[in-house]
Structure formats: C-alpha cells, structure tokens
Amino acid sequence: MTTQPSAVPTTALNATAQPRPLLLFDIDGVLSPYGYGNAANLPGYTTHPVSPQAWKDYPAYPKPKYHWVHLNPEIGARLEALPLDLTMVGPWQPKEVEELLPAAGLTRLPGFIAVQDRSFFARPDDPGRSMWDPEATIRDRSRDVIGATCLERAGADRPFAWLAAGFPENLQRDLSRDHGAPVLLHVVDPRAGLTDADFAALTQWAAAVAARPPAPELKLLRCRDCGERSSIVVDGRREDRTHEACRSCCECYCPDPQSDGGDRFQPCGDLERERCEDCGWCANCGCGC
C-alpha cells in the first residue's frame, strides 16, 4: 500500500470562499485510548505493538520494547465522514502511521503538521507518563499549529478543532488572540477514546463554522504600486517587509499561482518553500545570488 500524506491545503489568498476546517489529533488518547484497564473493556478495538522512532528515542527507564496502541476501524471511518480535513499533530512520521491505517479505519493518510517538540507522550491527566511537563508540550505544539494554519490574510486563516486528553488552562485564550479563525479545543476522555458525544460536538462545531459569512475580498496590489520599497539585512540575509495595506512583499512581488493572467499577486512569505536558501530571495521572482 503506497499512499501520500494529505497536504494541509491553503485557500487562494484573494478568494471569498471559507477555508475548510482542520481536525487536529494525535494517536495517544484520541484514536488509541489508554488507562482503561483490560483491553476487553474496549469493544471493537484491536491491539497493535508499534515502535515508531519517537518511541525509540523516548528516554523512559525501564521502557518496554513496544508501545501498544488500540484502534477501532469504526472511529476512523466516522472521522473521515466529518466535513473536516484530518491532520495529525504529534511525533509520528507518515510511514509509521501508514501501517496503522487499516486498523484505524482510515482510507488515506491524514495531513501532518511537523512539530518541533518530539515528546512522545503529552498526557495532562497523567504527567508521570510524559516525563516532561505535558502542558508545556502542548503549548509548544500550538506554536507549530499556528505557523501551519495562519495565512496572515484577513479571513483566510484555517479554522481548526484540536482533540487531546487535556489542554493548558489559558491556551484557548492565547489561540483566540493569535489566530484569526474559529478554534475548538475539545477534551477527549483518554480512557474511552472518541465517543458519540465527541462526534456530536465536532459535527455541531463544523456546522457553525460553515455558517459563517464569507470572508471579505481583499484586493492585492503589485508591490511597486504600494509606494513602499524597503528591506533590511539580518546576518547578511535580506528580509523583505510587507505593506500593511496589501500585505504584499515590499521589495518584490510574486504572481498568484491560481492567476491565469498573472494579474493577481501574493506575498513572498506564502511562497517560502520557493525562496533560495543561499540568498533568501524568492526564486519565483528571480534568485538574487
């Protein structure tokens, strides 16, 4: 079985359509319950020994050779039926998750948000298993989530619902301040995994997000039309500034890939993957080396 992880898609920067919400989750405590006692207490679940790289690197002593996950194919099928884009936030790699897809009831890999914190466990209800402060781990991951879902464009940030066994007390407030789209932090009972009540809450939230009024259309201008052409040099690398009115790069401008006539433009910052690593210039506009 060869599959590719779903991309975390972005919305055309000058489109009025609402971006499709994301559903963020990790395996531990969401897809795979824990702390319930005997596996016989989990009807429909099967148990699988796994040894992902983050588990191998997990500095617990003593540590068993395998980590055991408990998966129910009905759960994955119900997740894929939601009007949300499934996205994993955790230490797992796509190839490691791919092996679990049939047991989890998923027909394709979810999207992945790379996280800098490689802690294997983030269990606020059971910090002894996490070895580190689990709330700090979730806060660290939230910064990676914001980086992946915030497009710095009015009305274009991705709404997301995040499933976990618990969240830091002030995280909802912090995310509401830093993110320009609806956010749902939904606590899952890690002993039961996802239940009918959880799916009902997600369905209700997704319907409320879909009912939002369309985002206002924002006219993008060529950078040279802004009258602002300034940049700074940091450690020998050029840092472009953006104009507050049009949010376009003030030193060069990039054609919107979805613009057939090349008459629409977007900031270079949204084409970060096309920047030259040596000089920092946008390769789409012309490398400055």
Side-chain angles (χ1 to χ4, degrees):
M1 178 179 179
T2 57
T3 57
Q4 294 295 324
S6 306
V8 178
T10 58
T11 300
L13 295 180
N14 50 350
T16 58
Q18 299 288 2
R20 183 175 163 100
L22 301 175
L23 179 59
L24 311 182
F25 61 93
D26 197 353
I27 291 179
D28 193 54
V30 179
L31 290 187
S32 176
Y34 63 80
Y36 50 84
N38 194 295
N41 297 328
L42 289 171
Y45 282 82
T46 55
T47 300
H48 306 267
V50 295
S51 185
Q53 187 59 47
W55 171 253
K56 296 176 183 177
D57 298 338
Y58 177 61
Y61 301 98
K63 181 179 67 176
K65 181 178 181 181
Y66 295 108
H67 174 60
W68 300 87
V69 295
H70 315 282
L71 302 172
N72 185 339
E74 180 184 350
I75 297 299
R78 294 182 68 177
L79 287 175
E80 289 191 335
L82 293 170
L84 307 169
D85 290 338
L86 305 188
T87 306
M88 291 202 65
V89 181
W92 296 75
Q93 299 302 305
K95 186 175 181 180
E96 298 166 349
V97 176
E98 182 180 16
E99 298 174 355
L100 300 174
L101 291 183
L106 298 173
T107 60
R108 62 177 302 181
L109 279 171
F112 282 77
I113 292 179
V115 294
Q116 302 302 314
D117 191 306
R118 298 290 294 165
S119 301
F120 192 75
F121 290 123
R123 299 183 174 182
D125 64 314
D126 184 14
R129 288 294 302 275
S130 296
M131 297 293 289
W132 300 279
D133 182 353
E135 293 192 352
T137 295
I138 294 178
R139 272 193 216 96
D140 290 341
R141 291 181 183 180
S142 72
R143 288 193 287 269
D144 298 319
V145 166
I146 290 295
T149 60
C150 180
L151 300 182
E152 298 184 359
R153 174 71 63 188
D157 287 356
R158 298 294 300 276
F160 63 83
W162 192 350
L163 308 177
F167 297 97
E169 182 177 352
N170 295 325
L171 185 59
Q172 181 79 57
R173 181 200 63 195
D174 295 341
L175 291 178
S176 299
R177 178 196 62 208
D178 298 335
H179 196 57
V183 172
L184 172 67
L185 301 183
H186 185 79
V187 176
V188 177
D189 182 353
R191 297 167 299 177
L194 290 169
T195 65
D196 290 343
D198 297 313
F199 281 104
L202 292 171
T203 300
Q204 183 179 9
W205 179 81
V209 171
R212 291 183 303 155
E217 184 174 2
L218 184 63
K219 181 180 180 181
L220 303 183
L221 305 175
R222 294 188 184 210
C223 190
R224 294 175 181 176
D225 295 339
C226 295
E228 175 74 27
R229 291 177 52 75
S230 57
S231 63
I232 58 176
V233 177
V234 178
D235 295 332
R237 295 170 64 91
R238 193 190 77 174
E239 296 282 345
D240 293 316
R241 297 178 180 174
T242 56
H243 190 270
E244 292 183 0
C246 71
R247 300 300 296 169
S248 288
C249 171
C250 294
E251 192 66 25
C252 68
Y253 51 86
C254 300
D256 184 339
Q258 300 190 24
S259 172
D260 295 335
D263 57 347
R264 295 200 304 264
F265 296 84
Q266 67 181 15
C268 290
D270 288 316
L271 294 177
E272 198 69 36
R273 63 186 181 277
E274 298 187 24
R275 278 185 181 271
C276 173
E277 294 183 357
D278 294 326
C279 67
W281 284 43
C282 174
N284 194 55
C285 297
C287 181
C289 289

